[in-house]
Amino acid sequence: MNGPIDNGPEEPGPPADRDGIRNAPRIPAPRPAADDLDPLPRHPHPPPSSHGPRPRPEPFGSDGAIHSPEQHGPPERVDRPEAREFAESAESPDSAEPAEPAEPAEPEHRPAHPGRPGAPEHTDRTTVPPEADMSQESGSGAGTPSHSVLKSLLGAWALAACSTEETAAVEVHLGECAPCADEALRLRDAVGLLHPGRDLDLDPLLRFRVLENCLGRRPARIPVPEWASPYDSETARLDALLRDFGESEWKAPVELKWFNGTRLAHRTTTVSGVIGHLLTVDGLVAGALGLDDPLGRGAPHSPTRRTEEFWRNEAHQSMDEVHSPWRDQSHALVRTVSFAGRGVAELSVSYGDFSLPLRDSLLDRAFECWLHADDIADAVDYPYDPPRGSHLNRMIDLAARLLPATLAARRRQGLASPPKELVTAGAPGRSLRLEVEGAGGGNWYIALDSPAALGSPDHTVAQVALEGVEFCKLVAGHVSPRDAAAGQDGDREAINEVLLAAASLGRL
């Protein structure tokens, strides 16, 4: 292999090195792809120190020739005629040692990677931290955030998401900038609306609303009758209250109140005794539907006697021994009337001295369940809301329908004045207008002289105004008739007798 090697057409190459080797083929270094380049730094580097290393010259001279990185002399070959004279002068003995290029005062540009071909080398790689961006544009103080930066931090400050340094800077700025202070107050108020304060206790009506929403989307195949829904709702609310009780709450003293016809009466029992009272009186409805009576066969029909018997025999029962039977019995009642159909609504339920149709009997039991649940909540210092408006309206309506018969019974006992104007059954007679305000309120006209007469607006001789919950507590015997009426107008005797009759509806 002594012959010459044909390397193809000659390309302009690097000049001869110090050993005289010329025309040596030059292999260029690989070029990086565009995606490999890092983005330019946000802040330029400071100019290199005068004592630092000199920057490497550019590989391309001002004449367009290519210079070798090791030798900075002019190239041997030139492609352009105007550079030929300069190339010939470079081969003379006087120019054997190329002159060093003058050190530039300041680099024209600084690529992100100085180590790549064509990039000057820098020994000072100090970068400016991003925090330098927060220096105040107006130059009011070194390291102090600018107004625009502090304004952008107001949202995070309102959410308490700033660091300690940012919080201190924002609060100092709020004392100096009125627009930002106003904006901060608006943001702080908005954060309060995003996080309303709520207690950890579930809403007692949550179960009812969830069931109502579910049944509205997909009606039940066998729905609960509308007239039984108040009982279903109130027993569910009381059950939810009792689920959070422990042994100490279960034994808490509860004072029961009622009106015995002439004066208020009271008796103290426990939470267990109240649930036992509800269990035994609800047993009258269970017996009418053919279900098991919790007191067994042969038990009395009077609610008071049934309660006394339970308290005498089951005084030391535990929480589960009373709560579970009452809950199971209430579920059985609702399930039974749901499957029984429409005809069961008029089934008679005996209370000993009087009887009620099943639809009114379950409404009466819902009323008593709510009031005794309120007694229990008062005993353990727990808030308890009244029933929803539609259910409360039905309870008030039941009491208003029972008032004429109760007033007639008091006359027979000598506790009320004799009738003043007798009329035939079904005819309008002297009436009292009962105006109930608030949720579940309305207007009712109470016949004064005969339970068979009709209340009529045209025959009104008196008017009484009460708030809805206050009227219900009067009916339950929890408040005195003299303290119940908020407004009275007309025949004072008729007003007094109606209020006493309403209080007489209450019982143990």
Side-chain angles (χ1 to χ4, degrees):
M1 300 187 53
N2 297 326
I5 299 176
D6 186 7
N7 291 325
E10 288 184 347
E11 298 291 338
D17 58 10
R18 299 180 184 274
D19 297 334
I21 301 176
R22 299 178 180 272
N23 300 330
R26 178 176 178 272
I27 301 177
R31 294 183 178 182
D35 295 341
D36 295 338
L37 295 178
D38 292 339
L40 291 176
R42 298 177 59 183
H43 303 279
H45 293 288
S49 172
S50 58
H51 303 288
R54 298 175 179 176
R56 298 176 61 185
E58 299 290 342
F60 296 94
S62 61
D63 57 356
I66 303 177
H67 295 272
S68 171
E70 294 81 7
Q71 184 176 355
H72 308 305
E76 179 188 10
R77 293 180 178 272
V78 294
D79 292 336
R80 294 179 295 177
E82 58 268 25
R84 186 175 296 113
E85 182 177 356
F86 177 80
E88 291 175 356
S89 64
E91 296 177 0
S92 62
D94 297 336
S95 60
E97 291 293 331
E100 292 183 358
E103 181 180 0
E106 183 174 340
E108 299 180 0
H109 65 278
R110 300 190 179 278
H113 298 280
R116 291 178 178 170
E121 294 182 355
H122 302 291
T123 58
D124 186 5
R125 298 174 179 263
T126 306
T127 59
V128 180
E131 289 75 5
D133 239 10
M134 294 187 62
S135 62
Q136 205 172 48
E137 298 170 6
S138 60
S140 60
T144 304
S146 65
H147 173 83
S148 59
V149 172
L150 291 171
K151 185 176 181 180
S152 67
L153 291 175
L154 292 180
W157 173 84
L159 292 169
C162 291
S163 64
T164 305
E165 295 79 7
E166 292 172 340
T167 301
V170 169
E171 291 177 352
V172 170
H173 180 68
L174 294 181
E176 302 172 352
C177 181
C180 287
D182 294 339
E183 181 68 16
L185 289 177
R186 288 192 293 268
L187 292 174
R188 179 64 59 90
D189 293 340
V191 170
L193 296 176
L194 293 176
H195 303 280
R198 299 187 62 183
D199 55 28
L200 299 179
D201 297 324
L202 293 178
D203 186 350
L205 295 178
L206 178 62
R207 176 181 181 272
F208 178 82
R209 288 200 298 267
V210 171
L211 290 177
E212 186 178 39
N213 183 57
C214 295
L215 295 177
R217 294 177 178 271
R218 178 180 293 180
R221 185 173 58 181
I222 304 177
V224 176
E226 188 67 20
W227 48 268
S229 60
Y231 177 78
D232 182 35
S233 177
E234 293 308 313
T235 53
R237 292 208 300 153
L238 177 55
D239 182 37
L241 174 65
L242 296 176
R243 286 178 182 271
D244 293 336
F245 282 9
E247 287 295 335
S248 59
E249 292 88 359
W250 197 253
K251 297 178 181 178
V254 180
E255 186 178 14
L256 301 181
K257 300 177 182 179
W258 69 95
F259 192 75
N260 63 4
T262 57
R263 59 183 177 84
L264 291 176
H266 61 88
R267 178 165 179 174
T268 301
T269 182
T270 61
V271 173
S272 175
V274 175
I275 302 304
H277 165 63
L278 294 176
L279 172 68
T280 56
V281 181
D282 286 356
L284 293 173
V285 184
L289 290 172
L291 302 176
D292 293 337
D293 190 327
L295 296 182
R297 293 184 178 182
H301 285 270
S302 170
T304 303
R305 292 177 57 192
R306 290 173 66 88
T307 302
E308 293 288 353
E309 181 176 337
F310 177 84
W311 285 348
R312 184 171 54 253
N313 298 331
E314 311 292 345
H316 302 289
Q317 283 193 339
S318 64
M319 176 177 59
D320 291 336
E321 292 174 333
V322 179
H323 182 201
S324 296
W326 170 80
R327 182 181 61 239
D328 295 341
Q329 179 178 259
S330 64
H331 291 174
L333 290 175
V334 174
R335 184 171 56 251
T336 302
V337 298
S338 300
F339 279 92
R342 297 181 179 178
V344 74
E346 302 302 327
L347 182 67
S348 179
V349 179
S350 174
Y351 288 84
D353 298 336
F354 63 97
S355 62
L356 293 173
L358 182 60
R359 63 167 65 245
D360 289 343
S361 180
L362 278 185
L363 191 57
D364 170 75
R365 302 312 306 145
F367 176 80
E368 189 167 357
C369 181
W370 160 47
L371 287 206
H372 285 320
D374 189 69
D375 293 335
I376 293 173
D378 287 342
V380 296
D381 295 326
Y382 193 89
Y384 202 80
D385 295 330
R388 60 183 305 190
S390 60
H391 294 174
L392 191 61
N393 179 269
R394 295 182 186 182
M395 297 175 186
I396 296 173
D397 178 74
L398 173 62
R401 289 189 282 113
L402 294 176
L403 278 178
T406 305
L407 188 56
R410 289 180 59 83
R411 283 197 183 100
R412 290 192 297 267
Q413 298 173 3
L415 299 176
S417 63
K420 296 181 180 179
E421 232 180 81
L422 292 177
V423 296
T424 58
R430 279 195 330 136
S431 305
L432 176 141
R433 180 187 177 189
L434 174 62
E435 182 181 355
V436 180
E437 302 171 349
N443 294 309
W444 286 266
Y445 293 90
I446 312 300
L448 297 174
D449 296 323
S450 173
L454 293 179
S456 171
D458 298 332
H459 296 75
T460 301
V461 297
Q463 179 178 349
V464 176
L466 300 95
E467 196 273 331
V469 175
E470 192 72 11
F471 175 75
C472 291
K473 291 189 175 181
L474 170 66
V475 171
H478 286 195
V479 296
S480 170
R482 296 180 180 180
D483 303 330
Q488 305 177 11
D489 185 29
D491 190 338
R492 297 296 178 180
E493 184 182 33
I495 292 173
N496 185 55
E497 289 181 353
V498 169
L499 293 178
L500 289 171
S504 299
L505 291 172
R507 60 183 183 272
L508 177 61

